[in-house]
Amino acid sequence: GAATYQWSPLVGLTNPTIANPIATPTASTEYFVTGTTVNGCIAKDSITISIKPKPAITISPDTLVCQNSPVQLTASGGTSYIWTPSTGLDNPTVSNPVASPSDSTTYYVTVTEASTSCSSIDSVDVFIRPEPVFTINAPASICETKSITLSASGGHSYSWHPDPTLSSTLIANPIATPLSSKVYTVDITDSICNTTASLSTTVTVWDLPTVQATSSNDIDCSLDFSQLTATGATTYEWLPATGLSSNRVSNPIARPVVETSYSVKGTDDNGCVNFDTVMVKVVTANLSGYLMPNAFSPNGDGLNECYGIKYWGVIQELEFGIYNRWGERIFFTKDPSACWNGKYRGTPQDIGVYVYMIKAKTLCGSTFKKGIFTLVR
């Protein structure tokens, strides 16, 4: 045997200097080899490797199909065919099997040409379209006279069961204005796979609160305030706020200087709202005579603790002073709601007779009044 070898051409050979290289030519090739002995003797030979063409496969394109829908697969380019996996195929050994997979599947086909015994492999994907997800809005609640937008999704067309309280029956999100609690139903269709579902939702309608507003009296020459009261709700808001002790309570004190219509907005625990109004008039009637108490008892029993003006109507201007027996002024105010608690400079005053002097301009006229009263304990 030879001592060394040299193959040519080099293309496609694993090692051109050994006796048995592996050849992987891309086209038919004649390889030449030169063998040299240790004595320098040379011999040459050659071998031709012919390349047979693989089948050129033509295969159907990837396909998206609906659930439980068969699809025709096709392949060409050879004389025999083997498809894998065989699951879902009516015949895995023909060129054109029908596939009915339960899940998305990649099918591989091996195509063999009998004349050359050469094979090729290709694949096709069969995707199963997911089932559509149809939805409808959760049950909802609204107050009477209000509207709500319903919402369905997942389809290509919508058909709500006929109802006069719907703005439309052929859209996904109609506006519903029910007069009472009601069940709404919609038929949803996916037109691609002709899938249909019927879904329902409930709209509960809450009654509005029965809000009632009252006033205790009109404003006149004796009464300078009116007690407003609202009932039927949980929280309240009065408008206008002018003249009110608070506009966010059920029972504010109203001291309007002109006739005023007060509107109250009542809201219940469900957030439902209703309204009522009450008129407080301001009239020059029921003249009081500008009377003052003749005694008071600041002794801490909670009764008659403070000496002040009551039932003079709306006082627009005021000078109110109280004097002791020595003529010393021990109390003075311009505030009609202020009163004397029986103390001077923090010290409780003695039991006895005191003098008041009041100059006032009221809704019903002006007056100057002077008198005496007794402090008792």
Side-chain angles (χ1 to χ4, degrees):
T4 62
Y5 301 89
Q6 182 64 51
W7 294 84
S8 66
L10 305 180
V11 177
L13 294 180
T14 55
N15 189 337
T17 62
I18 61 176
N20 55 348
I22 297 174
T24 312
T26 57
S28 296
T29 303
E30 184 178 11
Y31 287 100
F32 297 91
V33 62
T34 300
T36 303
T37 67
V38 293
N39 297 322
C41 296
I42 296 174
K44 296 182 178 182
D45 205 347
S46 66
I47 184 173
T48 298
I49 299 178
S50 298
I51 301 298
K52 298 177 182 179
K54 285 188 172 184
I57 301 176
T58 301
I59 196 168
S60 50
D62 294 342
T63 306
L64 177 65
V65 297
C66 298
Q67 290 277 358
N68 304 316
S69 298
V71 60
Q72 179 73 65
L73 304 182
T74 60
S76 62
T79 55
S80 65
Y81 303 84
I82 298 177
W83 295 83
T84 58
S86 61
T87 304
L89 298 180
D90 64 340
N91 189 340
T93 62
V94 296
S95 64
N96 58 344
V98 174
S100 302
S102 57
D103 298 301
S104 296
T105 302
T106 299
Y107 287 103
Y108 297 88
V109 61
T110 300
V111 180
T112 302
E113 173 55 51
S115 62
T116 62
S117 298
C118 291
S119 299
S120 293
I121 297 177
D122 205 346
S123 66
V124 59
D125 289 318
V126 178
F127 298 104
I128 304 300
R129 189 171 184 270
E131 288 282 354
V133 178
F134 297 140
T135 66
I136 193 171
N137 59 273
S141 301
I142 61 172
C143 300
E144 185 182 351
T145 75
K146 297 300 183 180
S147 298
I148 185 172
T149 299
L150 304 181
S151 178
S153 66
H156 298 98
S157 63
Y158 303 85
S159 177
W160 295 83
H161 291 195
D163 193 302
T165 65
L166 290 176
S167 62
S168 171
T169 59
L170 298 176
I171 59 176
N173 52 347
I175 297 173
T177 311
L179 301 178
S180 59
S181 298
K182 186 178 288 290
V183 175
Y184 292 97
T185 301
V186 61
D187 296 325
I188 309 175
T189 300
D190 180 318
S191 59
I192 295 177
C193 292
N194 198 32
T195 304
T196 300
S198 183
L199 302 179
S200 298
T201 190
T202 300
V203 177
T204 300
V205 178
W206 288 317
D207 293 334
L208 300 184
T210 302
V211 177
Q212 292 185 320
T214 59
S215 67
S216 60
N217 53 268
D218 292 327
I219 306 300
D220 59 22
C221 295
S222 293
L223 303 172
D224 65 343
F225 72 90
S226 179
Q227 175 69 66
L228 303 186
T229 303
T231 60
T234 305
T235 62
Y236 302 90
E237 180 181 6
W238 297 82
L239 291 174
T242 306
L244 295 182
S245 58
S246 171
N247 75 323
R248 293 186 179 275
V249 295
S250 65
N251 55 343
I253 297 295
R255 285 188 167 87
V257 295
V258 295
E259 179 176 287
T260 303
S261 176
Y262 288 102
S263 173
V264 62
K265 171 186 174 183
T267 305
D268 66 13
D269 291 333
N270 294 323
C272 297
V273 172
N274 214 341
F275 300 85
D276 198 14
T277 59
V278 63
M279 180 71 74
V280 178
K281 296 180 179 180
V282 179
V283 297
T284 55
N286 191 28
L287 190 63
S288 69
Y290 305 114
L291 302 177
M292 290 295 291
N294 57 16
F296 84 119
S297 56
N299 55 9
D301 65 358
L303 300 174
N304 203 19
E305 294 287 331
C306 204
Y307 190 81
I309 299 172
K310 292 182 179 180
Y311 307 114
W312 282 32
V314 178
I315 298 177
Q316 298 164 333
E317 296 178 11
L318 176 68
E319 293 180 6
F320 176 20
I322 295 177
Y323 303 82
N324 61 21
R325 74 182 80 175
W326 297 286
E328 182 182 10
R329 191 170 76 178
I330 57 178
F331 174 79
F332 181 79
T333 184
K334 293 185 176 182
D335 180 1
S337 64
C339 58
W340 183 45
N341 63 3
K343 296 180 180 180
Y344 179 51
R345 295 179 178 174
T347 301
Q349 297 301 290
D350 295 336
I351 294 173
V353 176
Y354 293 82
V355 176
Y356 68 80
M357 296 181 64
I358 302 172
K359 181 180 180 181
K361 179 181 179 182
T362 74
L363 176 69
C364 298
S366 297
T367 186
F368 175 79
K369 195 166 184 67
K370 179 179 179 180
I372 61 173
F373 65 98
T374 304
L375 187 160
V376 298
R377 296 192 187 278

